[in-house]
Amino acid sequence: MPQEAIQRRRSRRGGLLNTDGRRHPLENALTLAAFVLGVCALVFGFISATHFLGALAAVLGLPLALYAQLVSATTGERFFNVIAMIASFVGGAMALRHGGFSL
């Protein structure tokens, strides 16, 4: 049990993405990029005039989130990757409904 208390104290230092207390710069960068693209796809997908940008962000964000999920090392990264996947999918669907890649 003392080891568990020490492990819990260590995991608090890592932040949201590094829940194991170690640094994962590549995985964190992939997760952050996928999350930003997913949110952009979601926002642009709901606005009718920006359907092209929403579809583009979704096409880039969904495969990136899937790859980031594949190489993720911690639970925090997986959590944000799933949010990014869902946001990219919903934003892409809304962008396609508003016209998709047509200018």
Side-chain angles (χ1 to χ4, degrees), residues 19-39:
T19 55
D20 61 351
R22 290 181 275 173
R23 297 181 68 230
H24 306 283
L26 176 65
E27 291 85 354
N28 290 347
L30 287 171
T31 298
L32 182 63
F35 187 77
V36 168
L37 282 171
V39 170

Side-chain angles (χ1 to χ4, degrees), residues 6-62:
I6 291 170
Q7 179 65 26
R8 284 187 186 172
R9 247 185 275 137
R10 268 192 212 140
S11 67
R12 300 274 186 227
R13 281 188 264 153
L16 290 173
L17 295 179
N18 297 328
T19 55
D20 61 351
R22 290 181 275 173
R23 297 181 68 230
H24 306 283
L26 176 65
E27 291 85 354
N28 290 347
L30 287 171
T31 298
L32 182 63
F35 187 77
V36 168
L37 282 171
V39 170
C40 287
L42 190 63
V43 170
F44 290 148
F46 277 110
I47 301 170
S48 181
T50 58
H51 58 85
F52 180 76
L53 293 175
L56 186 64
V59 164
L60 295 175
L62 188 59

